[in-house]
Amino acid sequence: MSSQIKVKRAFSLFSFPPTGKRLQEWISVILCFSLICFNFYNLLFYLRLEHTPSVLVGIFAGVITADFLSGLFHWGADTWGSVELPIVGKAFIRPFREHHIDPTAITRHDFIETNGDNCFMTLVPLANMAYKFVSFSPEALCDSCPWDCYVFALIIFITMTNQIHKWSHTYFGLPRWVVFLQDWHIILPRKHHRIHHVSPHETYFCITTGWLNYPLEKIRFWRCLENIIQGLTGEKPRADDMKWAQKIK
Ligand SMILES: [Zn+2]
Ligand SMILES: [Zn+2]
């Protein structure tokens, strides 16, 4: 990257007031974290001791669902389509393909740039949950608490996926509590995610906790899905990625 572009980029990241995409990211992050606090407070308020087992199952299922969705989304962007596709190509496919070529670029993104898009994605379900807390009766909210814990854990882990992925590429200066979470495999560990970064990037797509990577690899889940799609459409998985990576090198 030329020094001129670097300076321009640094200026756009820290200029105030933020404009365009940067402004949208700022608003998404602020709204998202405000709604998370509001919903978390309400969830605690409606928690009952007798719900403990179903709440724990709900949280576990929410985290597993988020991990699976991160894998599905990542697998789709890595495996199919082209960076030249209108809208989807630039917005979704290109960042994932570029990430294989320069995996440490993500570590140079600040908090807003890292989390803006995911915060934007979870705004509607978070607002829906907040609406439920202000409009439903207390009895109904007590009854649906385990389900709400499932949805809330799912939303939290989807929101945090990019941050967790960024930490999995960061080798210096991570806070101790993040390293603790990685070492205990509560979030995606660094060594674990390295498996995905071996070309041709055809396995270990889950990037939230990574809990599903080993079992999905064991049952050859992604390969089966790719075979089905190739059988139906005639498209070869990663065909465009290989062409594109060659071009960039
Ligand atoms: Zn990838
Ligand atoms: Zn990565």
Side-chain angles (χ1 to χ4, degrees):
M1 200 190 286
S2 78
S3 56
Q4 224 180 350
I5 298 174
K6 262 189 205 163
V7 170
K8 225 172 148 188
R9 193 156 177 270
F11 182 74
S12 73
L13 282 178
F14 301 110
S15 62
F16 195 84
T19 51
K21 172 91 169 90
R22 182 75 177 164
L23 179 66
Q24 184 219 305
E25 288 168 353
W26 262 105
I27 294 172
S28 302
V29 170
I30 292 168
L31 278 178
C32 179
F33 282 92
S34 309
L35 285 166
I36 284 175
C37 291
F38 177 81
N39 288 333
F40 183 60
Y41 169 79
N42 277 282
L43 261 183
L44 286 182
F45 187 78
Y46 290 108
L47 269 184
R48 296 291 175 266
L49 204 58
E50 65 266 27
H51 282 153
T52 307
S54 48
V55 162
L56 291 178
V57 170
I59 293 172
F60 183 71
V63 179
I64 290 274
T65 311
D67 197 39
F68 179 72
L69 290 178
S70 78
L72 195 66
F73 193 76
H74 181 183
W75 166 80
D78 273 7
T79 314
W80 308 104
S82 146
V83 287
E84 265 115 46
L85 282 174
I87 305 166
V88 183
K90 191 166 178 263
F92 299 108
I93 298 177
R94 198 181 178 110
F96 281 101
R97 308 285 171 93
E98 281 181 341
H99 178 61
H100 294 159
I101 300 200
D102 183 5
T104 55
I106 189 175
T107 63
R108 297 188 288 277
H109 295 170
D110 69 357
F111 186 83
I112 302 293
E113 190 178 6
T114 304
N115 299 293
D117 287 341
N118 282 42
C119 284
F120 181 73
M121 271 198 288
T122 54
L123 277 182
V124 171
L126 277 168
N128 181 53
M129 199 174 203
Y131 174 74
K132 194 173 162 183
F133 282 125
V134 292
S135 60
F136 281 31
S137 70
E139 295 76 35
L141 288 168
C142 263
D143 290 345
S144 74
C145 193
W147 167 255
D148 290 328
C149 286
Y150 165 76
V151 176
F152 192 68
L154 172 61
I155 292 174
I156 291 289
F157 275 79
I158 289 178
T159 306
M160 292 306 293
T161 292
N162 254 351
Q163 184 64 52
I164 291 171
H165 183 206
K166 177 184 165 179
W167 284 330
S168 80
H169 283 280
T170 308
Y171 281 83
F172 301 101
L174 275 183
R176 256 204 231 153
W177 61 272
V178 173
V179 178
F180 174 86
L181 293 178
Q182 289 176 333
D183 288 349
W184 285 87
H185 206 153
I186 295 164
I187 59 172
L188 187 70
R190 290 172 284 190
K191 218 169 142 192
H192 178 99
H193 183 51
R194 254 189 261 156
I195 299 169
H196 174 71
H197 277 275
V198 176
S199 182
H201 317 284
E202 57 184 1
T203 187
Y204 278 47
F205 292 99
C206 301
I207 50 172
T208 304
T209 60
W211 294 349
L212 290 175
N213 281 324
Y214 182 73
L216 291 178
E217 177 57 23
K218 261 290 173 246
I219 61 166
R220 297 168 54 84
F221 179 79
W222 303 114
R223 225 138 310 148
C224 290
L225 214 54
E226 285 162 14
N227 289 342
I228 293 168
I229 293 177
Q230 190 171 356
L232 290 173
T233 64
E235 289 285 322
K236 271 194 179 160
R238 286 170 288 280
D240 182 72
D241 186 39
M242 289 181 198
K243 260 192 276 160
W244 194 69
Q246 288 292 323
K247 242 192 273 171
I248 297 296
K249 279 171 195 164

Coordinates of all heavy atoms in Angstrom, one line a residue, residues 2-80:
S2 N 0.6 2.2 -0.9 CA 1.5 3.4 -1.0 C 1.3 4.2 0.3 O 0.2 4.2 0.9 CB 1.2 4.2 -2.2 OG 0.0 4.9 -2.0
S3 N 2.3 5.1 0.6 CA 2.2 5.8 1.9 C 1.0 6.8 1.7 O 0.3 7.2 2.7 CB 3.5 6.5 2.2 OG 3.8 7.3 1.0
Q4 N 0.8 7.3 0.5 CA -0.3 8.3 0.3 C -1.7 7.7 0.6 O -2.5 8.3 1.3 CB -0.3 8.7 -1.2 CG -0.5 10.2 -1.4 CD -0.5 10.5 -2.8 OE1 -0.2 9.7 -3.7 NE2 -0.8 11.7 -3.2
I5 N -1.9 6.4 0.1 CA -3.1 5.7 0.4 C -3.3 5.5 1.9 O -4.3 5.7 2.5 CB -3.2 4.4 -0.4 CG1 -3.2 4.6 -1.9 CG2 -4.5 3.6 0.0 CD1 -3.1 3.4 -2.7
K6 N -2.1 5.1 2.6 CA -2.1 4.8 4.0 C -2.6 6.1 4.8 O -3.4 6.0 5.7 CB -0.7 4.4 4.5 CG -0.5 2.9 4.6 CD 0.8 2.7 5.2 CE 1.3 1.3 4.8 NZ 2.7 1.2 5.1
V7 N -2.0 7.2 4.4 CA -2.3 8.4 5.1 C -3.8 8.8 4.9 O -4.5 9.1 5.9 CB -1.4 9.6 4.6 CG1 -1.9 10.9 5.1 CG2 0.0 9.4 5.0
K8 N -4.3 8.6 3.7 CA -5.7 8.9 3.3 C -6.6 8.0 4.1 O -7.6 8.4 4.7 CB -5.9 8.6 1.8 CG -6.6 9.7 1.1 CD -6.6 9.4 -0.3 CE -7.8 9.9 -1.0 NZ -7.9 9.5 -2.4
R9 N -6.2 6.7 4.3 CA -7.1 5.8 5.0 C -7.1 6.1 6.5 O -8.2 6.1 7.1 CB -6.5 4.4 4.8 CG -7.4 3.3 5.2 CD -7.1 2.0 4.5 NE -8.0 1.0 5.0 CZ -7.7 0.2 6.0 NH1 -6.6 0.4 6.6 NH2 -8.6 -0.7 6.4
A10 N -5.9 6.4 7.0 CA -5.9 6.7 8.4 C -6.7 8.0 8.7 O -7.5 8.0 9.7 CB -4.4 7.0 8.8
F11 N -6.7 8.9 7.8 CA -7.5 10.1 7.9 C -9.0 9.8 7.9 O -9.7 10.3 8.8 CB -7.1 11.1 6.8 CG -7.9 12.4 6.9 CD1 -7.5 13.3 7.9 CD2 -8.9 12.7 6.1 CE1 -8.2 14.5 8.1 CE2 -9.6 13.9 6.3 CZ -9.2 14.8 7.2
S12 N -9.4 8.9 7.0 CA -10.8 8.6 6.9 C -11.3 7.8 8.1 O -12.4 7.9 8.5 CB -11.1 7.8 5.6 OG -10.7 6.5 5.7
L13 N -10.4 7.0 8.7 CA -10.8 6.3 9.9 C -11.0 7.1 11.1 O -11.9 6.9 11.9 CB -9.7 5.2 10.2 CG -9.6 4.0 9.4 CD1 -8.4 3.1 9.8 CD2 -10.9 3.2 9.5
F14 N -10.2 8.2 11.2 CA -10.3 9.0 12.4 C -10.8 10.4 12.3 O -10.9 11.1 13.2 CB -8.9 9.1 13.1 CG -8.3 7.7 13.4 CD1 -7.2 7.2 12.7 CD2 -8.9 6.9 14.4 CE1 -6.8 5.9 12.9 CE2 -8.4 5.6 14.6 CZ -7.4 5.1 13.9
S15 N -11.3 10.7 11.0 CA -11.8 12.0 10.8 C -13.2 12.1 11.5 O -13.9 11.1 11.7 CB -12.0 12.3 9.3 OG -12.9 11.3 8.8
F16 N -13.5 13.3 12.0 CA -14.7 13.6 12.7 C -15.4 14.8 12.1 O -14.8 15.8 11.8 CB -14.4 13.7 14.2 CG -15.7 13.6 15.0 CD1 -16.1 12.4 15.4 CD2 -16.4 14.8 15.3 CE1 -17.3 12.3 16.1 CE2 -17.6 14.7 16.0 CZ -18.0 13.4 16.5
P17 N -16.7 14.8 11.8 CA -17.6 13.7 12.1 C -17.5 12.6 11.0 O -17.1 12.9 9.9 CB -19.0 14.3 12.0 CG -18.8 15.5 11.1 CD -17.4 16.0 11.3
P18 N -17.7 11.3 11.4 CA -17.6 10.2 10.4 C -18.6 10.3 9.3 O -19.7 10.8 9.6 CB -17.8 8.9 11.2 CG -18.5 9.4 12.5 CD -18.1 10.8 12.7
T19 N -18.3 9.9 8.1 CA -19.3 10.0 7.0 C -19.4 8.6 6.3 O -18.6 7.8 6.5 CB -18.8 11.0 6.0 OG1 -17.5 10.7 5.6 CG2 -18.9 12.5 6.5
G20 N -20.4 8.5 5.5 CA -20.6 7.3 4.6 C -20.6 6.0 5.4 O -21.3 5.9 6.5
K21 N -19.8 5.1 5.0 CA -19.8 3.7 5.6 C -19.4 3.8 7.0 O -19.9 3.1 7.9 CB -18.8 2.9 4.7 CG -18.5 1.5 5.3 CD -19.4 0.5 4.7 CE -19.0 -1.0 5.1 NZ -19.4 -1.5 6.3
R22 N -18.4 4.7 7.3 CA -17.9 4.8 8.7 C -19.0 5.3 9.6 O -19.1 4.8 10.7 CB -16.7 5.8 8.6 CG -16.0 6.1 9.9 CD -15.1 4.9 10.3 NE -14.4 5.2 11.5 CZ -13.8 4.3 12.3 NH1 -13.8 3.1 11.9 NH2 -13.2 4.6 13.4
L23 N -19.8 6.2 9.2 CA -20.9 6.7 10.0 C -21.9 5.6 10.3 O -22.4 5.4 11.4 CB -21.6 7.9 9.2 CG -22.8 8.5 10.0 CD1 -22.3 9.2 11.3 CD2 -23.5 9.5 9.1
Q24 N -22.2 4.8 9.2 CA -23.2 3.7 9.4 C -22.6 2.7 10.4 O -23.3 2.2 11.2 CB -23.4 3.0 8.0 CG -24.4 1.9 8.1 CD -24.0 0.7 7.2 OE1 -23.7 0.8 6.0 NE2 -23.9 -0.5 7.8
E25 N -21.3 2.4 10.4 CA -20.7 1.5 11.3 C -20.8 2.0 12.7 O -21.1 1.3 13.7 CB -19.2 1.3 11.0 CG -19.0 0.4 9.7 CD -17.6 0.4 9.2 OE1 -16.7 1.2 9.7 OE2 -17.3 -0.3 8.2
W26 N -20.5 3.3 12.9 CA -20.6 4.0 14.2 C -22.0 3.8 14.8 O -22.2 3.4 16.0 CB -20.2 5.4 14.2 CG -18.8 5.7 14.5 CD1 -17.8 6.0 13.7 CD2 -18.3 5.8 15.9 NE1 -16.6 6.3 14.4 CE2 -16.9 6.1 15.7 CE3 -18.8 5.6 17.1 CZ2 -16.0 6.2 16.8 CZ3 -17.9 5.7 18.2 CH2 -16.6 6.0 18.1
I27 N -23.0 4.2 14.0 CA -24.4 4.1 14.4 C -24.8 2.7 14.8 O -25.4 2.4 15.8 CB -25.4 4.7 13.4 CG1 -25.1 6.2 13.2 CG2 -26.8 4.5 13.7 CD1 -25.8 6.8 12.0
S28 N -24.4 1.7 13.9 CA -24.7 0.3 14.2 C -24.1 -0.1 15.5 O -24.8 -0.8 16.3 CB -24.2 -0.6 13.1 OG -24.7 -0.2 11.8
V29 N -22.8 0.2 15.8 CA -22.2 -0.3 17.0 C -22.9 0.3 18.2 O -23.2 -0.4 19.2 CB -20.7 0.1 17.0 CG1 -20.0 -0.1 18.3 CG2 -20.0 -0.7 15.9
I30 N -23.2 1.7 18.2 CA -23.8 2.3 19.3 C -25.2 1.7 19.6 O -25.5 1.4 20.7 CB -23.9 3.8 19.1 CG1 -22.4 4.4 19.2 CG2 -24.7 4.5 20.2 CD1 -22.3 5.8 18.7
L31 N -26.0 1.6 18.5 CA -27.4 1.1 18.7 C -27.3 -0.3 19.2 O -28.1 -0.7 20.1 CB -28.1 1.2 17.4 CG -28.7 2.5 17.0 CD1 -29.4 2.4 15.6 CD2 -29.8 2.9 18.0
C32 N -26.5 -1.1 18.6 CA -26.4 -2.6 18.9 C -26.0 -2.8 20.4 O -26.7 -3.5 21.1 CB -25.3 -3.2 18.0 SG -25.1 -4.9 18.3
F33 N -25.0 -2.1 20.9 CA -24.5 -2.3 22.2 C -25.6 -1.7 23.2 O -25.7 -2.2 24.3 CB -23.1 -1.8 22.5 CG -22.1 -2.7 22.0 CD1 -21.6 -2.6 20.7 CD2 -21.7 -3.8 22.7 CE1 -20.7 -3.6 20.2 CE2 -20.8 -4.8 22.3 CZ -20.3 -4.6 21.0
S34 N -26.3 -0.6 22.8 CA -27.3 -0.1 23.7 C -28.5 -1.1 23.9 O -29.0 -1.4 25.0 CB -27.9 1.2 23.2 OG -26.9 2.1 22.8
L35 N -28.9 -1.7 22.7 CA -29.9 -2.7 22.8 C -29.5 -4.0 23.5 O -30.3 -4.6 24.2 CB -30.4 -3.1 21.3 CG -31.2 -2.0 20.6 CD1 -31.3 -2.3 19.1 CD2 -32.6 -2.0 21.2
I36 N -28.2 -4.4 23.4 CA -27.7 -5.5 24.1 C -27.8 -5.3 25.6 O -28.3 -6.1 26.3 CB -26.2 -5.8 23.7 CG1 -26.2 -6.5 22.3 CG2 -25.5 -6.7 24.7 CD1 -24.8 -6.7 21.8
C37 N -27.5 -4.1 26.1 CA -27.5 -3.8 27.5 C -29.0 -3.8 28.0 O -29.3 -4.4 29.0 CB -27.0 -2.4 27.8 SG -25.2 -2.3 27.5
F38 N -29.9 -3.2 27.2 CA -31.3 -3.1 27.5 C -31.9 -4.6 27.6 O -32.5 -4.9 28.6 CB -32.1 -2.3 26.5 CG -33.5 -2.3 26.7 CD1 -34.1 -1.4 27.7 CD2 -34.4 -3.1 26.1 CE1 -35.4 -1.4 27.9 CE2 -35.8 -3.1 26.3 CZ -36.3 -2.2 27.2
N39 N -31.6 -5.4 26.6 CA -32.1 -6.8 26.6 C -31.5 -7.6 27.7 O -32.2 -8.4 28.3 CB -31.9 -7.4 25.3 CG -32.8 -6.8 24.2 OD1 -33.8 -6.3 24.5 ND2 -32.3 -6.8 22.9
F40 N -30.2 -7.4 28.0 CA -29.6 -8.2 29.0 C -30.2 -7.9 30.4 O -30.5 -8.8 31.2 CB -28.1 -7.9 29.0 CG -27.3 -8.7 30.0 CD1 -27.2 -10.1 29.9 CD2 -26.5 -8.1 31.0 CE1 -26.5 -10.9 30.8 CE2 -25.8 -8.9 32.0 CZ -25.8 -10.3 31.8
Y41 N -30.4 -6.6 30.7 CA -31.0 -6.2 31.9 C -32.4 -6.9 32.1 O -32.7 -7.4 33.2 CB -31.1 -4.7 32.0 CG -31.9 -4.2 33.1 CD1 -31.4 -4.1 34.4 CD2 -33.2 -3.8 32.9 CE1 -32.1 -3.6 35.4 CE2 -34.0 -3.3 33.9 CZ -33.5 -3.2 35.2 OH -34.2 -2.8 36.3
N42 N -33.2 -6.8 31.0 CA -34.5 -7.4 31.1 C -34.5 -8.9 31.2 O -35.3 -9.5 32.0 CB -35.3 -7.0 29.8 CG -35.9 -5.7 30.0 OD1 -36.9 -5.5 30.6 ND2 -35.3 -4.7 29.4
L43 N -33.5 -9.6 30.5 CA -33.4 -11.0 30.6 C -33.1 -11.4 32.1 O -33.7 -12.3 32.6 CB -32.3 -11.5 29.8 CG -32.6 -12.1 28.4 CD1 -31.3 -12.6 27.7 CD2 -33.6 -13.2 28.5
L44 N -32.2 -10.7 32.7 CA -31.8 -11.0 34.1 C -33.1 -10.8 35.0 O -33.3 -11.6 35.9 CB -30.7 -10.1 34.6 CG -29.3 -10.3 34.1 CD1 -28.4 -9.3 34.7 CD2 -28.9 -11.7 34.4
F45 N -33.9 -9.8 34.7 CA -35.0 -9.5 35.5 C -36.1 -10.7 35.5 O -36.7 -10.9 36.5 CB -35.7 -8.2 35.0 CG -36.8 -7.7 35.8 CD1 -36.5 -7.0 37.0 CD2 -38.1 -7.9 35.5 CE1 -37.5 -6.5 37.8 CE2 -39.1 -7.4 36.2 CZ -38.8 -6.7 37.4
Y46 N -36.2 -11.3 34.3 CA -37.2 -12.4 34.2 C -36.6 -13.8 34.4 O -37.3 -14.8 34.3 CB -37.9 -12.3 32.8 CG -38.7 -11.1 32.7 CD1 -38.4 -10.0 31.9 CD2 -39.9 -11.0 33.4 CE1 -39.1 -8.8 31.8 CE2 -40.7 -9.9 33.3 CZ -40.3 -8.8 32.6 OH -41.1 -7.7 32.5
L47 N -35.3 -13.9 34.8 CA -34.7 -15.2 35.0 C -35.3 -15.8 36.3 O -35.5 -15.1 37.3 CB -33.2 -15.1 35.2 CG -32.3 -15.3 34.0 CD1 -30.9 -15.2 34.4 CD2 -32.6 -16.6 33.3
R48 N -35.6 -17.1 36.3 CA -36.1 -17.8 37.5 C -35.2 -19.0 37.8 O -34.8 -19.6 36.8 CB -37.6 -18.2 37.4 CG -38.6 -17.1 37.2 CD -38.7 -16.2 38.5 NE -39.6 -15.1 38.3 CZ -39.2 -13.9 37.9 NH1 -37.9 -13.7 37.8 NH2 -40.0 -12.9 37.7
L49 N -34.9 -19.3 39.1 CA -34.0 -20.3 39.4 C -34.5 -21.7 38.8 O -33.6 -22.5 38.4 CB -34.0 -20.5 41.0 CG -32.7 -21.1 41.5 CD1 -31.5 -20.3 41.1 CD2 -32.8 -21.2 43.0
E50 N -35.8 -21.9 38.8 CA -36.3 -23.2 38.2 C -36.0 -23.3 36.7 O -36.1 -24.4 36.2 CB -37.7 -23.4 38.6 CG -38.7 -22.5 37.9 CD -39.1 -21.3 38.8 OE1 -38.3 -20.9 39.7 OE2 -40.2 -20.8 38.6
H51 N -35.7 -22.2 36.1 CA -35.4 -22.3 34.6 C -33.9 -22.6 34.3 O -33.6 -22.8 33.2 CB -35.7 -20.9 34.0 CG -37.1 -20.6 33.8 ND1 -37.6 -19.3 33.7 CD2 -38.2 -21.5 33.6 CE1 -38.9 -19.4 33.5 NE2 -39.3 -20.7 33.4
T52 N -33.1 -22.8 35.4 CA -31.6 -22.9 35.2 C -31.3 -23.9 34.1 O -30.5 -23.6 33.2 CB -30.9 -23.2 36.5 OG1 -31.3 -22.2 37.4 CG2 -29.4 -23.1 36.3
P53 N -31.8 -25.2 34.2 CA -31.3 -26.2 33.2 C -31.7 -25.8 31.8 O -30.9 -25.8 30.9 CB -32.1 -27.5 33.6 CG -32.5 -27.3 35.0 CD -32.7 -25.8 35.2
S54 N -32.9 -25.3 31.6 CA -33.3 -25.0 30.2 C -32.6 -23.7 29.7 O -32.4 -23.6 28.5 CB -34.9 -24.8 30.1 OG -35.4 -24.0 31.1
V55 N -32.3 -22.8 30.7 CA -31.5 -21.6 30.3 C -30.1 -22.0 29.8 O -29.6 -21.5 28.8 CB -31.5 -20.6 31.4 CG1 -30.4 -19.6 31.2 CG2 -32.8 -19.9 31.6
L56 N -29.5 -22.9 30.5 CA -28.2 -23.4 30.2 C -28.2 -24.1 28.8 O -27.3 -23.8 28.0 CB -27.6 -24.3 31.2 CG -27.2 -23.6 32.6 CD1 -26.7 -24.6 33.6 CD2 -26.2 -22.5 32.4
V57 N -29.2 -24.9 28.6 CA -29.3 -25.6 27.3 C -29.5 -24.5 26.2 O -28.9 -24.6 25.1 CB -30.5 -26.6 27.3 CG1 -30.8 -27.1 25.9 CG2 -30.2 -27.7 28.2
G58 N -30.4 -23.5 26.5 CA -30.7 -22.4 25.5 C -29.4 -21.7 25.1 O -29.1 -21.5 24.0
I59 N -28.6 -21.3 26.1 CA -27.3 -20.6 25.9 C -26.4 -21.5 25.0 O -25.8 -21.0 24.0 CB -26.7 -20.2 27.2 CG1 -27.5 -19.1 27.9 CG2 -25.3 -19.6 26.9 CD1 -27.1 -18.7 29.3
F60 N -26.2 -22.7 25.4 CA -25.3 -23.6 24.7 C -25.8 -23.8 23.2 O -25.0 -23.7 22.3 CB -25.3 -25.0 25.4 CG -24.4 -26.0 24.8 CD1 -23.0 -25.8 24.9 CD2 -24.9 -27.1 24.0 CE1 -22.1 -26.7 24.3 CE2 -24.0 -28.0 23.5 CZ -22.6 -27.8 23.6
A61 N -27.1 -24.0 23.0 CA -27.7 -24.1 21.7 C -27.5 -22.8 20.9 O -27.2 -22.9 19.7 CB -29.1 -24.5 21.7
G62 N -27.6 -21.7 21.5 CA -27.4 -20.4 20.8 C -26.0 -20.2 20.3 O -25.8 -19.8 19.2
V63 N -25.0 -20.6 21.2 CA -23.6 -20.5 20.8 C -23.3 -21.5 19.6 O -22.6 -21.1 18.7 CB -22.7 -20.8 22.0 CG1 -21.2 -20.7 21.6 CG2 -23.0 -19.8 23.1
I64 N -23.8 -22.7 19.7 CA -23.6 -23.7 18.7 C -24.2 -23.2 17.3 O -23.6 -23.3 16.3 CB -24.3 -25.0 19.0 CG1 -23.5 -25.7 20.2 CG2 -24.4 -26.0 17.8 CD1 -22.3 -26.5 19.8
T65 N -25.4 -22.6 17.4 CA -26.1 -22.1 16.2 C -25.3 -21.0 15.6 O -25.1 -20.9 14.4 CB -27.5 -21.6 16.5 OG1 -28.2 -22.6 17.3 CG2 -28.3 -21.3 15.2
A66 N -24.7 -20.1 16.4 CA -23.9 -19.0 15.9 C -22.7 -19.5 15.2 O -22.3 -19.0 14.2 CB -23.5 -18.0 17.0
D67 N -22.0 -20.5 15.8 CA -20.8 -21.1 15.3 C -21.1 -21.7 13.9 O -20.4 -21.5 12.9 CB -20.3 -22.2 16.2 CG -18.8 -22.5 15.9 OD1 -18.0 -21.6 15.6 OD2 -18.4 -23.7 16.0
F68 N -22.3 -22.5 13.8 CA -22.7 -23.1 12.6 C -22.9 -22.0 11.5 O -22.5 -22.1 10.3 CB -23.9 -24.0 12.8 CG -24.3 -24.6 11.5 CD1 -23.6 -25.6 10.9 CD2 -25.5 -24.2 10.8 CE1 -23.9 -26.2 9.7 CE2 -25.8 -24.8 9.6 CZ -25.1 -25.8 9.1
L69 N -23.7 -21.0 11.9 CA -24.0 -19.9 10.9 C -22.7 -19.2 10.4 O -22.6 -18.9 9.2 CB -25.0 -18.9 11.5 CG -26.4 -19.4 11.7 CD1 -27.2 -18.4 12.4 CD2 -27.0 -19.9 10.4
S70 N -21.7 -19.0 11.3 CA -20.5 -18.4 10.9 C -19.8 -19.3 9.9 O -19.2 -18.8 8.9 CB -19.6 -18.1 12.1 OG -18.9 -19.3 12.5
G71 N -19.8 -20.6 10.1 CA -19.2 -21.5 9.2 C -19.9 -21.5 7.8 O -19.3 -21.5 6.8
L72 N -21.2 -21.5 7.9 CA -22.0 -21.6 6.6 C -21.8 -20.3 5.8 O -21.6 -20.4 4.5 CB -23.5 -21.7 7.0 CG -24.5 -22.1 5.9 CD1 -24.2 -23.5 5.4 CD2 -25.9 -22.0 6.4
F73 N -21.8 -19.2 6.4 CA -21.6 -17.9 5.7 C -20.2 -17.8 5.1 O -20.0 -17.5 3.9 CB -21.8 -16.8 6.7 CG -22.0 -15.4 6.1 CD1 -23.1 -15.0 5.5 CD2 -20.9 -14.5 6.2 CE1 -23.3 -13.8 5.0 CE2 -21.0 -13.3 5.7 CZ -22.2 -12.9 5.0
H74 N -19.2 -18.2 5.9 CA -17.8 -18.2 5.5 C -17.6 -19.2 4.4 O -16.9 -18.9 3.4 CB -17.0 -18.5 6.8 CG -15.5 -18.5 6.6 ND1 -14.6 -18.8 7.6 CD2 -14.7 -18.2 5.5 CE1 -13.4 -18.8 7.1 NE2 -13.4 -18.4 5.8
W75 N -18.1 -20.4 4.5 CA -18.0 -21.4 3.5 C -18.6 -20.9 2.2 O -18.0 -21.1 1.1 CB -18.7 -22.7 4.0 CG -18.9 -23.7 2.9 CD1 -18.0 -24.6 2.4 CD2 -20.1 -24.0 2.2 NE1 -18.6 -25.4 1.5 CE2 -19.9 -25.0 1.3 CE3 -21.4 -23.4 2.2 CZ2 -20.8 -25.5 0.4 CZ3 -22.4 -23.9 1.4 CH2 -22.1 -24.9 0.5
G76 N -19.7 -20.3 2.3 CA -20.4 -19.8 1.0 C -19.5 -18.8 0.3 O -19.3 -18.9 -0.9
A77 N -19.0 -17.8 1.1 CA -18.2 -16.8 0.5 C -16.8 -17.3 0.0 O -16.3 -16.8 -1.0 CB -18.0 -15.7 1.5
D78 N -16.3 -18.3 0.7 CA -15.0 -18.8 0.2 C -15.1 -19.7 -1.0 O -14.2 -19.8 -1.8 CB -14.4 -19.7 1.4 CG -13.6 -18.9 2.4 OD1 -13.6 -17.7 2.3 OD2 -12.9 -19.5 3.3
T79 N -16.2 -20.4 -1.1 CA -16.3 -21.5 -2.0 C -17.0 -21.2 -3.3 O -16.7 -21.8 -4.4 CB -17.1 -22.7 -1.3 OG1 -16.5 -22.8 0.0 CG2 -16.9 -24.0 -2.1
W80 N -18.0 -20.3 -3.3 CA -18.9 -20.1 -4.4 C -18.9 -18.6 -4.9 O -18.5 -17.8 -4.1 CB -20.4 -20.5 -4.1 CG -20.4 -21.9 -3.6 CD1 -20.7 -22.2 -2.3 CD2 -20.2 -23.1 -4.3 NE1 -20.6 -23.6 -2.2 CE2 -20.4 -24.2 -3.4 CE3 -20.0 -23.4 -5.7 CZ2 -20.2 -25.5 -3.8 CZ3 -19.8 -24.7 -6.1 CH2 -20.0 -25.8 -5.1

